[in-house]
Amino acid sequence: MKEVTLRQLEYFAAIAETRSVTEAAQRCHVSQAAVSLALGQLEEALGATLAIRRRGKGVALTAEGQAVAVRARQVADQIDGMSAAVNQVHGELSGRLVVGVFRTLALHIIPPLIDWFTSRHPQVELDFIEGAGPEVQEAVLEGRAQLAAAYEAQLLPDCEAEILRPTMRQVALSPEHPLAERDKITLADLAPYPAILVNEEPALQRTLAEFDRAGVTPTVRWRSASVQVIQNVVGRNLAYSLLMQPARQSPEGRPLVFRPVDGRMHSNSVVAALPAGVARSALVTETLVALRHHWAAESDGGSPVDMHVVFDPSKETPKD
């Protein structure tokens, strides 16, 4: 086999992330010809086609390309890590960090990470890919992101999970709802009232399955892929919902209360999805530290893994 160079892997990692030879060249500060040449040399050295150029549609990775992309990303991270190692002596990190985020978790992931890296490691180039749970994990497996934040139920077979916060669905209500004064609420209690549910899989399927196991049928009036929309509808006392992440108020500023479900509900942890068998870089490790710190702070100095926090505007609770 011909020699594989670090430069070839660095350029291919950029192609895998951007899905464009042009953008990869811009990111690596070289010409398109240099990137194209490196890609051809890497394919020749490995004896496999790694990428297919599609006119007007960028670059698509082959199955072999996807497998190589994860390793190329790791090598690129290690190259960046040499400079980062020097900076770490002075308490700083540097390099490019891309985090995939399941869209309903974006509110809880993106702001604290921007805050953390801006204040502590300003030399880190931080970016995000938002989408469905499988989509953001595919970005990790294809080398376009170093890790992804999603729920445990969404985990793909080729990813391994690092638990960030065990969570369980709770009932989201307006304080004016007839059930809001109860400490615990059963699914049978909820069934007669209008519901607005998260229109994302597997969340919707799991929620309906839990009602089915309880032998009741919910009155589902509306569905939405936006948690913020759902919070606003609940805040107006037009429906209840079942949500993973509690909040003190809706985006419109109306108070919300969250109550545990009385009965058997499956936990569904927030996890960092990482490519199985790939060593974690300093940037990935720092991201895990940042997110755990964020949720520990939200728990008012308590454990970040409290699964039964009840948010009630009449009580002193930290801001979500």
Side-chain angles (χ1 to χ4, degrees):
M1 185 179 76
K2 292 187 177 181
E3 181 182 3
V4 173
T5 69
L6 293 177
R7 189 66 64 196
Q8 291 166 2
L9 293 174
E10 180 186 1
Y11 291 175
F12 183 65
I15 291 173
E17 185 175 330
T18 62
R19 298 304 173 90
S20 166
V21 171
T22 301
E23 291 185 32
Q26 293 172 348
R27 177 167 296 177
C28 297
H29 307 292
V30 296
S31 67
Q32 289 181 240
V35 173
S36 295
L37 177 61
L39 174 59
Q41 291 172 336
L42 180 59
E43 289 179 325
E44 183 180 0
L46 297 177
T49 299
L50 304 179
I52 300 172
R53 298 190 193 189
R54 302 174 297 176
R55 186 178 298 276
K57 295 183 179 181
V59 172
L61 299 186
T62 63
E64 294 84 355
Q66 292 176 13
V68 172
V70 175
R71 304 296 178 181
R73 178 72 267 167
Q74 184 182 13
V75 170
D77 287 345
Q78 289 174 344
I79 295 172
D80 289 340
M82 293 179 186
S83 297
V86 175
N87 290 329
Q88 277 185 280
V89 175
H90 305 286
E92 293 183 352
L93 291 172
S94 63
R96 180 170 172 78
L97 172 64
V98 181
V99 180
V101 185
F102 175 43
R103 61 172 66 92
T104 68
L105 283 172
L107 180 65
H108 306 276
I109 300 293
I110 294 178
L113 285 184
I114 290 177
D115 190 1
W116 183 275
F117 281 97
T118 299
S119 60
R120 290 172 173 79
H121 308 290
Q123 295 185 56
V124 172
E125 184 185 353
L126 180 62
D127 204 356
F128 301 94
I129 298 173
E130 296 180 61
E135 290 174 357
V136 296
Q137 291 177 81
E138 288 293 349
V140 173
L141 296 174
E142 293 171 1
R144 293 182 288 124
Q146 284 102 312
L147 75 160
Y151 284 109
E152 188 175 10
Q154 301 170 321
L155 195 67
L156 296 181
D158 293 331
C159 286
E160 59 185 21
E162 180 79 20
I163 294 178
L164 299 174
R165 186 191 195 188
T167 53
M168 186 175 291
R169 273 186 291 278
Q170 296 186 62
V171 184
L173 301 160
S174 162
E176 300 172 4
H177 194 282
L179 299 177
E181 295 301 318
R182 299 191 184 185
D183 291 333
K184 290 184 178 180
I185 300 169
T186 68
L187 295 179
D189 293 332
L190 293 170
Y193 296 98
I196 178 168
L197 300 183
V198 177
N199 195 24
E200 288 276 2
E201 295 299 350
L204 181 59
Q205 180 182 356
R206 286 167 61 89
T207 299
L208 295 176
E210 284 166 350
F211 274 100
D212 186 60
R213 281 193 296 270
V216 295
T217 303
T219 307
V220 182
R221 292 288 305 277
W222 304 284
R223 303 177 185 186
S224 175
S226 169
V227 172
Q228 288 74 25
V229 167
I230 291 173
Q231 290 174 343
N232 282 337
V233 172
V234 171
R236 290 169 179 259
N237 197 27
L238 300 172
Y240 73 87
S241 191
L242 290 163
L243 298 175
M244 301 297 297
Q245 303 294 332
R248 294 185 66 187
Q249 62 183 24
S250 70
E252 292 179 332
R254 292 181 169 88
L256 302 172
V257 295
F258 281 74
R259 300 290 184 242
V261 177
D262 189 8
R264 186 175 180 179
M265 292 285 284
H266 295 286
S267 63
N268 190 14
S269 301
V270 179
V271 300
L274 303 153
V278 175
R280 299 173 189 178
S281 67
L283 288 176
V284 168
T285 300
E286 186 71 6
T287 304
L288 300 179
V289 170
L291 292 174
R292 290 197 177 100
H293 181 273
H294 163 64
W295 272 307
E298 280 197 339
S299 297
D300 197 21
S303 169
V305 298
D306 183 1
M307 291 164 40
H308 300 289
V309 176
V310 175
F311 279 65
D312 189 322
S314 65
K315 300 176 183 178
E316 285 295 323
T317 51
K319 215 170 191 179
D320 190 39

